[in-house]
Amino acid sequence: MSTPFEYAPAPESRSVVDLRPTYGLFVGGEFVDGHADPLKSVNPATEEVLAEVATADADDVDAAVRAARRAYQRTWSRMSGSERGKYLFRIARLIQERSRELAVLETLDNGKPIKEARDVDVPTAAAHFFYYAGWADKLEYAVAGGGTPQPLGVAGQVIPWNFPFLMLAWKVAPALAAGNTVVLKPAETTPLSALLFAEICQQADLPPGVVNIVTGAGATGQAVVSHADVDKVAFTGSTDVGRSIARAVAGSDKRLTLELGGKAANIVYDDAPLDEAVEGIVNGIFFNQGHVCCAGSRLLVQESVAEEVLERLRRRMGTLRLGDPLDKNTDVGAINSSAQLARIRELVEAGEAEGAERWSPPCDLPERGYWFAPTLFTGVSQAHRIAREEIFGPVLSVLTFRTPAEAVEKANNTPYGLSAGIWSDKGSRALWTAERLRAGVVWTNTFNKFDPASPFGGYKESGYGREGGRHGLEAYLKGADQ
Amino acid sequence: MTSLSSTASSLADVTTSDAALRRFLHGLPGVDQVGVEQRVASLATRSIKTTAKAYALDLAIRMVDLTTLEGADTPGKVRSLGAKALRPDPTDPTCPSVAAVCVYPDMVPYAVEAVTTPGGRLHVASVATAFPSGRSSRSIKLEDTRDAVAAGADEIDMVIDRGAFLTGRYLDVFEEIVAVREACARPDGSRAHLKVIFETGELQTYDNVRRVSWLAMLAGADFIKTSTGKVQPAATLPVTLVMLEAVRDFRASTGRMVGVKPAGGIRTSKDAIRYLVVVNEVAGPDWLDPDWFRFGASSLLNDLLLQRTKMSTGRYSGPDYVTLD
């Protein structure tokens, strides 16, 4: 759409971030060298190398686990809940104080639009620390059965690249509130905000070893989850890796929570508030370039309004602004890595080859960096790969249904079960549908709403365990009788 | 379910009876309050800087209906308002004029005189139909309208009968708008433009805003307008967004374009720019024109001028450097 009202570039300043040329591992409260080959973290919007980051081999991971064990035994598990809470409140406030720095760094390293990093990722991360800080001295109310529940020990946590800092908060905040210490491995393409978090831990005077951060790729993660002295493993990422972690942990007494992939249905009934439903569809699949495990990647729209919804959706997609993630007006940023871009392309080609119709609005892609235009597939059937496999990109598959029963049947016909959306002005229909959807999170007349007080997690191949709320705390505690 | 694909001919049928009109208006898709407010909040984060800001400030000035609607209005007050409307910034000849001045019917002759120059004249808008309450007989309302048109008003800002709307007498409201539109006719066959004020602060729900927008457009409104400025809340961004969706969808189904005028409560340049962003991204760039979008405002103009000066000089001046009226 051409308009005389061209928004001039409004870039957020990079100067707030002090990037170091090299970063070490964070073990025992200090930055130390790693002994595997360092990796280069790249800005996916420009392919510029941001920094060289040390990676941890098995010995480095062992040192981190030992540091965590020491901190667990000597200080953190013995500290009163209210004292732990003070540290967490302090961390939460520091996240707020350094929010701009965190947001810009997240955007540089991940490629997500600054407005998302600024308005969603960082504030929600701070909210998680505030929320769990409040639980730290109230743990006897967190687990059924009475008595004061006990922490598990050392938690090994492996997090993905789509929300690097927010996923860190989801993992670290409840673990620490419950009295555990952690060894966290950020994703290899997005380690930088976790390393800034390490600085925040220093700034907060967090006792050394309570939080340890080991950077690296799959081998480092493997070393973390299979370390003999790790009591609890928490993983967010792909279902494939989740399976291999479950195998690695099987037969040990490690506790495990997995938050894996999804192929969420976003169901639009004919009585839906259509303009807002279109907003919800756009938010559901194009938020964070579709790099969202709970993305509404399958649109199920009632046939009687399908044409009208698609007409409105196409027009709305035409107003999405793709480009420089640091520009405050950018709606769709860069794909996080060339590997992910290749996967999206492969699935989109499969969609075309299987006969679905592909559409994107006119959209200039920058020459450098990893980019993919917002894409819509119509004429998709349940059998197509693009309706079954998680694309993890800005690609929406549109399917139709005729009756509520068919909507539920199609929505549930997937190996995944993380999230779902329902759009209807009729409360009884929305509730009827929600009761029948096999998904851990069901949003009605909204999508991608996150709150630290609300548990989040999946069914089936989307994993097990819950994060957020009181349920998220249970994963890091054992009851008095255990 | 009504939709964009409704044809113009089927729309003609919906105003044949009260029941048909009710079925149509109640069949429009609902508006989700949380969703619409979230959309507005997200558009409000757009960062409009440098060239875009300069464009938006000038456009906003050109869209102002500079308004005085006070019991204390005098010919003198209206004359100085007219002078301000013509040359908002006497120190800068590149500063555009506003779109129109907006006054009570008895002030129209003074307004016409004040905005007439050898080179042409600005539009004069007059409120009418027992503004602001609309609580008078239809004959009085029509006479009020004819009076303003005869005095030289180019645009009539009428108020709807909110009581009738809220009790569901949609056809009454419809017929009154049609009648006022007819009263806008001039002897030479031309017609004053009709703006229809909803007083959305009294209608309250977004569903009502969507329904009344369609009702007024079906009745032939040239513009739909949020408020009189006499009731709180006056114009809000979410209400304006719902109205912009309505004019967008109305054009898609009938081909006819209708303008939108938020009025009351828009005081700062930042507010005005947020409205323009919503116009741009919801209705589309075709509405970025004083023919299709107006601001009903009085104090907004001076803030636009202060910001405009800041853009060109790099410094903020003070309220004493823009004229009062």
Side-chain angles (χ1 to χ4, degrees):
Chain A
M1 191 174 344
S2 82
T3 165
F5 193 8
E6 288 295 344
Y7 303 162
E12 182 67 63
S13 168
R14 277 181 70 153
S15 64
V16 66
V17 170
D18 189 14
L19 270 178
R20 289 189 249 147
T22 59
Y23 287 85
L25 316 172
F26 185 66
V27 175
E30 287 176 8
F31 286 97
V32 300
D33 292 338
H35 296 92
D37 291 338
L39 58 84
K40 289 182 166 55
S41 200
V42 168
N43 178 347
T46 60
E47 300 177 50
E48 162 205 8
V49 174
L50 293 168
E52 195 173 275
V53 178
T55 68
D57 65 9
D59 290 343
D60 296 324
V61 169
D62 185 53
V65 173
R66 276 185 283 118
R69 176 62 60 190
R70 253 192 324 274
Y72 175 73
Q73 287 171 340
R74 293 186 188 167
T75 52
W76 200 247
S77 66
R78 299 174 170 209
M79 195 182 276
S80 72
S82 58
E83 283 300 309
R84 285 200 307 273
K86 281 185 197 168
Y87 283 105
L88 292 172
F89 277 121
R90 197 180 295 163
I91 289 171
R93 285 194 300 270
L94 286 167
I95 290 170
Q96 288 185 318
E97 279 170 26
R98 301 181 72 170
S99 60
R100 182 164 295 210
E101 186 182 354
L102 282 162
V104 171
L105 183 63
E106 196 77 322
T107 287
L108 285 172
D109 204 18
N110 171 277
K112 66 176 63 203
I114 184 70
K115 73 168 185 183
E116 288 178 12
R118 177 195 68 195
D119 297 346
V120 181
D121 295 47
V122 178
T124 313
H128 269 264
F129 275 98
F130 277 115
Y131 175 80
Y132 281 112
W135 268 113
D137 60 356
K138 303 173 191 71
L139 296 178
E140 58 268 39
Y141 303 101
V143 179
T148 303
Q150 298 301 309
L152 303 174
V154 175
Q157 307 177 319
V158 177
I159 58 171
W161 47 261
N162 58 341
F163 293 93
F165 191 66
L166 182 57
M167 290 302 105
L168 175 150
W170 280 28
K171 294 279 182 287
V172 173
L176 263 48
N180 305 275
T181 57
V182 307
V183 176
L184 175 108
K185 190 200 85 74
E188 66 266 34
T189 60
T190 56
L192 298 181
S193 57
L195 296 167
L196 182 54
F197 179 74
E199 281 180 29
I200 288 175
C201 292
Q202 287 179 325
Q203 205 182 343
D205 277 329
L206 191 71
V210 172
V211 169
N212 304 275
I213 293 168
V214 289
T215 39
T220 310
Q222 188 89 41
V224 171
V225 300
S226 55
H227 193 287
D229 202 29
V230 163
D231 302 297
K232 150 85 190 178
V233 171
F235 171 75
T236 297
S238 71
T239 296
D240 281 348
V241 176
R243 268 201 200 94
S244 75
I245 290 177
R247 273 194 291 270
V249 168
S252 73
D253 60 358
K254 289 180 172 58
R255 294 242 207 139
L256 177 63
T257 47
L258 297 171
E259 202 265 86
L260 308 176
K263 192 73 190 175
N266 207 355
I267 301 170
V268 178
Y269 284 115
D270 62 3
D271 63 351
L274 292 185
D275 287 300
E276 290 73 40
V278 166
E279 289 306 311
I281 295 165
V282 166
N283 176 337
I285 187 61
F286 301 122
F287 175 70
N288 207 37
Q289 298 71 249
H291 300 330
V292 185
C293 47
C294 53
S297 52
R298 280 186 300 150
L299 173 62
L300 285 172
V301 57
Q302 196 152 11
E303 280 185 18
S304 52
V305 288
E307 201 182 316
E308 178 169 6
V309 167
L310 286 174
E311 190 179 326
R312 286 168 191 258
L313 179 60
R314 287 196 185 96
R315 182 178 55 215
R316 177 68 177 88
M317 284 171 69
T319 68
L320 287 171
R321 304 171 61 85
L322 177 143
D324 179 8
L326 275 177
D327 190 315
K328 289 178 247 181
N329 293 325
T330 292
D331 299 319
V332 181
I335 301 303
N336 180 251
S337 65
S338 60
Q340 186 57 28
L341 182 58
R343 163 144 183 93
I344 296 169
R345 284 184 176 147
E346 195 250 319
L347 275 164
V348 163
E349 278 159 23
E352 283 186 296
E354 288 180 321
E357 193 183 324
R358 175 181 175 179
W359 181 87
S360 288
C363 181
D364 292 330
L365 300 182
E367 285 187 4
R368 289 190 66 81
Y370 316 128
W371 302 92
F372 201 86
T375 299
L376 187 71
F377 272 106
T378 49
V380 180
S381 83
Q382 290 281 106
H384 288 164
R385 281 183 70 195
I386 52 171
R388 305 200 63 76
E389 295 182 30
E390 185 176 39
I391 300 175
F392 224 61
V395 181
L396 178 66
S397 299
V398 183
L399 298 97
T400 59
F401 67 89
R402 292 158 296 178
T403 63
E406 187 184 3
V408 168
E409 200 176 16
K410 282 185 165 169
N412 286 337
N413 181 217
T414 165
Y416 294 110
L418 188 53
S419 68
I422 302 167
W423 296 85
S424 169
D425 245 8
K426 192 166 189 168
S428 58
R429 180 171 295 152
L431 291 169
W432 182 91
T433 309
E435 274 180 349
R436 283 158 182 78
L437 289 174
R438 280 179 291 152
V441 185
V442 178
W443 286 294
T444 299
N445 292 336
T446 190
F447 210 91
N448 278 342
K449 275 264 178 280
F450 304 101
D451 189 282
S454 171
F456 181 93
Y459 273 59
K460 303 190 279 185
E461 289 194 15
S462 292
Y464 42 81
R466 293 292 178 264
E467 293 183 295
R470 188 178 57 76
H471 307 72
L473 212 47
E474 278 179 8
Y476 289 95
L477 287 171
K478 52 187 172 216
D481 54 340
Q482 285 175 288
Chain B
M1 164 149 279
T2 53
S3 73
L4 295 190
S5 45
S6 301
T7 61
S9 64
S10 71
L11 280 179
D13 298 338
V14 305
T15 56
T16 50
S17 72
D18 217 354
L21 185 53
R22 166 189 304 276
R23 267 198 305 277
F24 172 78
L25 294 177
H26 286 247
L28 291 166
V31 185
D32 185 76
Q33 181 189 335
V34 174
V36 86
E37 289 170 4
Q38 193 173 306
R39 169 86 166 124
V40 159
S42 129
L43 286 172
T45 68
R46 290 288 191 223
S47 180
I48 304 303
K49 302 289 184 203
T50 61
T51 50
K53 187 173 180 185
Y55 166 84
L57 289 174
D58 274 15
L59 180 61
I61 292 171
R62 291 167 53 223
M63 288 172 163
V64 167
D65 277 3
L66 194 60
T67 301
T68 183
L69 294 169
E70 303 297 332
D73 283 346
T74 59
K77 164 79 184 173
V78 169
R79 279 190 204 103
S80 61
L81 190 79
K84 173 95 175 177
L86 279 169
R87 296 198 60 192
D89 184 352
T91 66
D92 184 354
T94 67
C95 179
S97 304
V98 305
V101 292
C102 181
V103 295
Y104 272 115
D106 62 330
M107 291 292 134
V108 169
Y110 310 107
V112 169
E113 183 195 319
V115 298
T116 303
T117 67
R121 55 171 278 206
L122 300 184
H123 278 195
V124 171
S126 171
V127 298
T129 68
F131 180 95
S133 71
R135 295 257 65 86
S136 191
S137 68
R138 187 165 298 173
S139 60
I140 296 287
K141 293 184 195 179
L142 296 178
E143 198 48 43
D144 197 20
T145 306
R146 288 187 202 102
D147 188 43
V149 173
D154 306 283
E155 302 171 0
I156 295 296
D157 290 26
M158 71 169 285
V159 291
I160 62 155
D161 183 344
R162 282 89 77 188
F165 183 88
L166 289 171
T167 48
R169 289 185 284 117
Y170 298 135
L171 200 59
D172 276 3
V173 181
F174 175 86
E175 284 169 353
E176 188 159 285
I177 297 170
V178 170
V180 173
R181 189 171 183 271
E182 281 162 11
C184 288
R186 301 191 190 94
D188 65 1
S190 65
R191 179 175 66 78
H193 268 228
L194 180 64
K195 304 199 195 96
V196 179
I197 305 172
F198 301 148
E199 201 66 296
T200 52
E202 291 181 348
L203 305 186
Q204 299 210 344
T205 68
Y206 296 125
D207 287 330
N208 275 346
V209 172
R210 175 165 288 171
R211 288 171 188 160
V212 76
S213 297
W214 277 86
L215 186 156
M217 293 187 293
L218 289 170
D222 298 302
F223 253 79
I224 54 178
K225 175 174 169 184
T226 60
S227 334
T228 61
K230 305 294 185 191
V231 167
Q232 290 302 323
T236 67
L237 267 175
V239 158
T240 307
L241 182 142
V242 171
M243 288 165 62
L244 286 162
E245 287 172 345
V247 296
R248 175 196 71 194
D249 293 349
F250 187 76
R251 182 175 72 170
S253 52
T254 67
R256 186 165 84 83
M257 229 169 125
V258 174
V260 176
K261 177 178 171 185
I266 305 163
R267 294 193 180 84
T268 66
S269 301
K270 197 171 226 172
D271 287 342
I273 290 172
R274 285 180 176 160
Y275 276 89
L276 294 181
V277 165
V278 174
V279 173
N280 191 33
E281 300 200 30
V282 174
D286 289 352
W287 270 267
L288 288 172
D289 186 291
D291 283 347
W292 303 111
F293 195 79
R294 297 276 182 87
F295 292 107
S298 43
S299 58
L300 169 65
L301 180 60
N302 271 351
D303 194 64
L304 291 167
L305 296 174
L306 283 172
Q307 291 294 332
R308 193 175 184 277
T309 310
K310 159 73 168 53
M311 293 291 293
S312 56
T313 65
R315 292 185 315 276
Y316 279 107
S317 54
D320 289 344
Y321 293 84
V322 288
T323 57
L324 272 179
D325 53 19

